[in-house]
Amino acid sequence: MTHRDGTRVVRAGQPDAEQGTPFLPGPVFAGPFHLKGDVASADWVYTRYGNPTWARYEAALAELEDGEVVLFASGMAAAAALLLTSLRPGSALAIDKDCYLNVRRLARTHLEPRGVDVRLAGPAELAAAVDGADLLWLESPSNPKLEVYDVAALAEAARAAGALTVVDNTTAGPLYQKPLDLGADFTLTSATKHLSGHSDLILGYLATRDSERAAALRDWRRDAGAVPGPFEAWLCHRSLPTLGVRLERGSANALAVAELLAARDDVSGVRYPGLPADPGHAVARRQMIGFGTIVAFDLGSRARAERFLARAELVTEASSFGGVLTTAERRLRWGADDVPEGFVRLSAGCEETADLVADIEQALAV
Ligand SMILES: Cc1ncc(COP(=O)(O)O)c(C=O)c1O
């Protein structure tokens, strides 16, 4: 019998029930493994080459992605693996200019000087930028502006131009958007966010349906040493069964917050793909399964954004997103995104909706 994702995620990657064994075996902490004779005679030889705890978590994610999964030490380690195995001097990269700031920085500071043509393009120019490119990099919904890109149309344009497509799916995750089904060649997820959900680790992965490409990424991981720790992999697997319920609560909270903000005339630029009035809503409805937990808005000035963050009791001022606590930050404090001074990115957590909305209302009152 086939099950829906919300059911599959609860058991994904867990071994068959055997008398007296745990549901999810604990992490295998090892650098070297016992290894007599031929290297090929053992599944596990040295943890930089592979580790059974990663393999179990990769198998769980593979069930959700319907592709091969390669786990990395962080989302950025996954991004670096893909960029550095796909691009060479003379290659061209078409990249969403609103994508995550460290991906842009990696491209500008490490690829451009090595002779890669890095073409940063906005939503309207991305399809044209792909002409003659080797790789199209997009993020949808983007962090932090929540721009929604038509993944199927862009992946098709990339294929026609002879380019591969990677979608950074971190804001949606594997339950709420399936870039490989939409035609992307790779999907990248920072598991640091919703997948972990508890703000206690850094991890990332790439998924693809092409076995040769997956093998090349595994080789890169081994040779570059961009390997996850077994404990992080296990912890993240331990958090996986609750991903669906955490997302349901977080998304309901995000919608309620977005509706509250959109109805106020002292808040502007509210972005949430689940709002019918959002510019990305029609495309998001087509390509997303859920609209996610992140809301972006402009409080008009740095001072008001800082006042809001200081007054809110249930909105913790913090970096990152996707955890069980509602968090937010004034994004321009990082100095690298094209957003106004009062722009706030909020990640809705698992609090009671009425409490969260009431708290946000009181924090906006001054
Ligand atoms: C959209 C997006 N992609 C990639 C990353 C990088 O992930 P990590 O911090 O796990 O390296 C982040 C981190 O914030 C992100 O927001």
Side-chain angles (χ1 to χ4, degrees):
M1 205 163 128
T2 55
H3 295 117
R4 293 171 180 79
D5 265 6
T7 302
R8 288 202 290 165
V9 72
V10 176
R11 293 165 186 270
Q14 293 184 9
D16 293 341
E18 267 190 46
Q19 188 78 339
T21 61
F23 290 10
L24 179 65
V28 173
F29 294 120
F33 293 81
H34 289 291
L35 182 64
K36 292 182 183 148
D38 281 348
V39 170
S41 64
D43 288 339
W44 312 110
V45 298
Y46 186 65
T47 276
R48 185 161 43 72
Y49 282 55
N51 176 286
T53 306
W54 312 342
R56 198 183 296 285
Y57 183 46
E58 286 175 337
L61 295 172
E63 287 184 46
L64 305 176
E65 297 284 4
D66 193 14
E68 286 187 50
V69 167
V70 187
L71 195 64
F72 287 90
S74 65
M76 283 311 302
L82 186 62
L83 291 170
L84 288 154
T85 52
S86 313
L87 301 168
R88 304 195 146 54
S91 303
L93 167 70
I95 180 164
D96 166 11
K97 77 174 175 46
D98 291 321
C99 78
Y100 176 56
L101 62 95
N102 286 147
V103 174
R104 277 182 279 131
R105 190 145 47 203
L106 178 65
R108 296 302 289 270
T109 57
H110 295 286
L111 297 180
E112 226 163 40
R114 289 171 172 79
V116 174
D117 174 14
V118 176
R119 305 173 182 172
L120 286 161
E125 307 104 46
L126 209 49
V130 101
D131 199 22
D134 299 274
L135 184 68
L136 167 65
W137 187 288
L138 58 112
E139 192 177 297
S140 186
S142 66
N143 168 30
K145 290 168 78 175
L146 299 181
E147 291 294 353
V148 175
Y149 290 82
D150 187 332
V151 174
L154 285 165
E156 204 179 304
R159 184 161 306 110
L164 297 172
T165 300
V166 53
V167 176
D168 184 332
N169 198 35
T170 299
T171 56
L175 293 189
Y176 278 5
Q177 188 166 257
K178 309 270 186 195
L180 300 181
D181 288 349
L182 297 168
D185 299 284
F186 301 95
T187 174
L188 178 146
T189 306
S190 165
T192 309
K193 322 292 183 196
H194 301 97
L195 274 286
S196 120
H198 293 78
S199 310
D200 49 11
L201 60 83
I202 300 274
L203 210 61
Y205 72 88
L206 287 160
T208 177
R209 291 182 181 155
D210 183 311
S211 290
E212 270 182 36
R213 293 191 180 120
L217 291 166
R218 272 187 224 105
D219 287 350
W220 168 273
R221 177 178 64 184
R222 179 199 59 217
D223 297 342
V227 291
F231 188 58
E232 278 77 4
W234 178 83
L235 254 189
C236 219
H237 199 166
R238 161 80 167 62
S239 296
L240 190 61
T242 56
L243 177 63
V245 290
R246 285 186 277 110
L247 281 174
E248 267 175 39
R249 174 64 78 92
S251 304
N253 280 347
L255 178 62
V257 169
E259 283 171 343
L260 164 81
L261 297 171
R264 294 180 67 108
D265 50 20
D266 58 351
V267 180
S268 62
V270 179
R271 293 299 306 264
Y272 180 64
L275 281 181
D278 188 274
H281 183 66
V283 176
R285 268 182 77 106
R286 236 178 19 240
Q287 70 187 17
M288 297 185 79
I289 297 148
F291 298 117
T293 67
I294 307 172
V295 183
F297 51 99
D298 183 5
L299 291 181
S301 68
R302 172 178 179 162
R304 183 150 187 255
E306 288 177 348
R307 235 174 14 248
F308 166 74
L309 292 167
R311 275 184 65 92
E313 284 174 25
L314 294 178
V315 180
T316 300
E317 186 177 3
S319 53
S320 203
F321 55 86
V324 290
L325 300 187
T326 294
T327 59
E329 67 176 347
R330 193 182 71 83
R331 189 62 186 178
L332 210 55
R333 67 182 179 166
W334 296 93
D337 292 304
D338 173 26
V339 294
E341 284 285 353
F343 180 100
V344 174
R345 184 196 64 200
L346 181 143
S347 168
C350 293
E351 300 86 354
E352 290 268 355
T353 307
D355 290 339
L356 184 61
V357 165
D359 185 51
I360 290 175
E361 262 185 313
Q362 72 75 25
L364 286 172
V366 281

